[in-house]
């Protein structure tokens, strides 16, 4: 069994920067819903997926199966995933509905 690699705050910051440089590469292909509740969830999911994709490229050994564990290992157990997802969404140029 491979040990889980740690994803540090610096890795997440680097991923966000990479997304900002090329948001089209990480933008979802399907249109986002227009109803506020569904749109909020879709925006956060788009941010999560963008950050995940950038981290998979940057941190060897990360995948969907171990990403949460790797982030907790590198950042701490109390990491706020919604904040990471929101930062990814903002890097894509997406805003949460009011």
């Amino acid at each position: 069994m491979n040990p889980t690699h740690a994803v540090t705050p610096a890795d997440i910051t680097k991923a966000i920067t990479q997304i900002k440089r090329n948001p089209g590469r990480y933008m979802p292909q399907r249109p986002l819903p227009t109803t506020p509740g569904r749109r909020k969830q879709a925006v956060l999911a788009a941010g999560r997926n963008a950050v995940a994709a950038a981290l998979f490229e940057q941190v060897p050994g990360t995948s969907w199966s171990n990403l949460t564990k790797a982030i907790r290992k590198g950042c701490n157990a109390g990491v706020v995933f919604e904040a990471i997802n929101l930062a990814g969404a903002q890097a894509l140029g997406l805003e949460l509905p009011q």
Side-chain angles (χ1 to χ4, degrees):
M1 184 171 168
N2 293 338
T4 299
H5 296 275
V7 173
T8 66
D11 293 326
I12 294 170
T13 300
K14 185 177 173 186
I16 299 295
T17 301
Q18 183 173 324
I19 295 164
K20 284 180 184 177
R21 273 190 252 132
N22 191 0
R25 179 176 177 189
Y26 301 98
M27 188 67 73
Q29 299 301 308
R30 298 179 71 186
L32 297 175
T34 56
T35 56
R38 288 185 177 164
R39 184 167 182 86
K40 177 182 178 184
Q41 293 307 310
V43 166
L44 290 174
R48 178 194 66 228
N49 292 342
V51 170
L55 287 172
F56 296 157
E57 295 167 1
Q58 295 174 17
V59 182
T62 56
S63 66
W64 281 113
S65 65
N66 68 4
L67 186 60
T68 299
K69 187 175 181 180
I71 291 171
R72 284 193 176 126
K73 183 177 181 181
C75 295
N76 72 40
V79 66
V80 179
F81 286 96
E82 187 168 350
I84 295 170
N85 299 343
L86 180 58
Q90 290 170 337
L92 289 170
L94 301 173
E95 298 293 326
L96 291 178
Q98 298 299 326

